[in-house]
Amino acid sequence: MGLMRSLLLAGSDSRWLREQATRRAFVRRAVSRFMPGESLEDALGTAPALRPDGIGLVLTRLGESVTDAAEAAAVAAHYGEALERIRATAVPAEISVKPTQLGLDVDPERCYSHVRALAERAASLGNFVWIDMEQTRYVDATLALCRRVRAERANVGVCVQAYLYRTAQDVERLIAAGAGVRLVKGAYREPPDQAFPRKRDVDDNYLELARRLLEPDARKAGVRPVFGTHDPRLIQAIAAHGAARGLAARQIEYHLLYGIQRAEQRRLAHAGHTVRVLVSYGSYWFPWYMRRLAERPANVLFVAKSLVRA
């Protein structure tokens, strides 16, 4: 599985493979398992099926590494429109944005202005803005962006990745800032001097960080801890730790991916936990899809079956 994950992550960076794959009907069919469509309306359309179980959404438009200021501004405008659509349709949804999609590589100050404006708009609508984490070279800039906006608005959180050695220190700084923290394992290809190479070590670090985020001082600081994992062992351990700390089930929040372990999503919601499904949409789906496969290489079997039926 380690070799398969490495191959998938390498493939996510291949322009040739992206161009070939996006033309193939069987690939698009396989992707539809994890992505309802390419438009905002497709993403919002997932809400009716989830609402009876009390499951909300986190919406993210796929795309990264924008190098044109006008394109970054268009992405920011899209998310502003998404917040308005969420309000108009009364869908229980939040947004999650990538800094490089909002122009971090072009103009960090303008990227900050975009995120701050979205946070202000979201606050006026009673909503929340998540900032996604990307490769290690963006970690410092992304965390600084979150802390800066968080100093002005409380409705901001950031994703951190358990496979990075540095994340324990980053979590401490985020706790001090009282920011929302969404903990994931990590889905990019990183060098061994930056990230744990063994899954067991990533899992152990994930659980240690999760427990830290549930400590009384973190909650007192205003941290909103969120756990983005489909690992049943970790989910069970986190819930048990929260219960041992006297937390109500609703205070343990999970963000799970659309189309993966739907029964588990319902089980957690019915157990009283706060559950949101991360719904991705947009045309720039190939790198994201390859990283999803790398997180769970067993999903490659699903693609293979689709190929046989093609």
Side-chain angles (χ1 to χ4, degrees):
M1 286 299 183
L3 176 59
M4 178 65 75
R5 183 176 188 276
S6 296
L7 291 172
L8 290 167
L9 290 177
S12 71
D13 295 327
S14 170
R15 176 176 296 181
W16 179 87
L17 190 58
R18 179 175 72 244
E19 292 174 352
Q20 296 300 312
T22 54
R23 298 171 184 170
R24 301 295 189 265
F26 80 89
V27 176
R28 300 183 75 91
R29 284 203 305 272
V31 171
S32 68
R33 177 187 181 185
F34 307 105
M35 189 180 82
E38 296 188 356
S39 72
L40 173 61
E41 293 306 316
D42 291 328
L44 290 171
T46 65
L50 297 169
R51 193 189 297 270
D53 294 310
I55 298 174
L57 307 177
V58 178
L59 306 180
T60 184
R61 185 185 184 190
L62 297 171
E64 54 195 69
S65 302
V66 168
T67 58
D68 179 77
E71 184 179 351
V75 172
H78 171 84
Y79 276 116
E81 293 170 4
L83 287 169
E84 294 294 342
R85 288 288 296 138
I86 289 168
R87 179 192 61 80
T89 57
V91 169
E94 299 171 347
I95 62 171
S96 190
V97 303
K98 277 187 168 58
T100 66
Q101 197 183 20
L102 291 173
L104 182 64
D105 288 327
V106 182
D107 184 344
E109 192 64 24
R110 185 170 296 183
C111 175
Y112 156 71
S113 296
H114 289 323
V115 176
R116 181 184 63 181
L118 288 172
E120 290 176 350
R121 188 60 186 141
S124 71
L125 299 172
N127 212 312
F128 198 92
V129 175
W130 289 100
I131 303 173
D132 282 339
M133 187 61 71
E134 300 173 74
Q135 297 96 324
T136 51
R137 65 180 181 272
Y138 295 115
V139 172
D140 285 326
T142 300
L143 294 176
L145 174 64
C146 176
R147 289 193 296 267
R148 188 177 176 187
V149 178
R150 176 63 181 79
E152 302 175 76
R153 295 289 176 182
N155 62 321
V156 177
V158 67
C159 178
V160 297
Q161 301 161 324
Y163 69 171
L164 297 181
Y165 297 127
R166 61 172 291 169
T167 301
Q169 294 180 335
D170 293 334
V171 163
E172 293 301 327
R173 296 188 182 98
L174 289 167
I175 288 174
V181 179
R182 183 171 73 218
L183 179 64
V184 301
K185 290 187 180 181
Y188 291 92
R189 183 171 52 163
E190 303 292 0
D193 64 329
Q194 299 288 331
F196 293 102
R198 297 194 309 170
K199 180 181 182 299
R200 179 190 307 174
D201 294 331
V202 176
D203 291 350
D204 290 346
N205 195 45
Y206 190 104
L207 185 55
E208 184 176 345
L209 294 170
R211 288 170 173 165
R212 178 67 185 96
L213 289 167
L214 292 175
E215 288 302 301
D217 66 318
R219 302 197 69 85
K220 185 177 180 180
V223 172
R224 176 185 170 185
V226 171
F227 307 107
T229 179
H230 296 87
D231 189 321
R233 185 184 69 86
L234 290 176
I235 289 173
Q236 183 177 10
I238 292 166
H241 184 78
R245 288 292 186 271
L247 299 176
R250 68 180 180 278
Q251 293 176 284
I252 311 297
E253 183 173 354
Y254 298 97
H255 287 185
L256 307 177
L257 295 173
Y258 175 83
I260 298 179
Q261 296 184 5
R262 294 173 183 172
E264 179 68 358
Q265 295 171 9
R266 290 191 293 269
R267 184 192 71 79
L268 289 169
H270 293 170
H273 296 294
T274 300
V275 179
R276 290 183 180 273
V277 170
L278 182 63
V279 180
S280 300
Y281 62 98
S283 60
Y284 192 77
W285 50 261
F286 178 77
W288 163 86
Y289 178 58
M290 294 294 282
R291 291 195 291 267
R292 297 294 76 75
L293 291 180
E295 288 175 340
R296 186 176 173 79
N299 285 328
V300 175
L301 179 61
F302 179 85
V303 181
K305 290 179 178 178
S306 297
L307 175 58
V308 171
R309 293 195 298 267

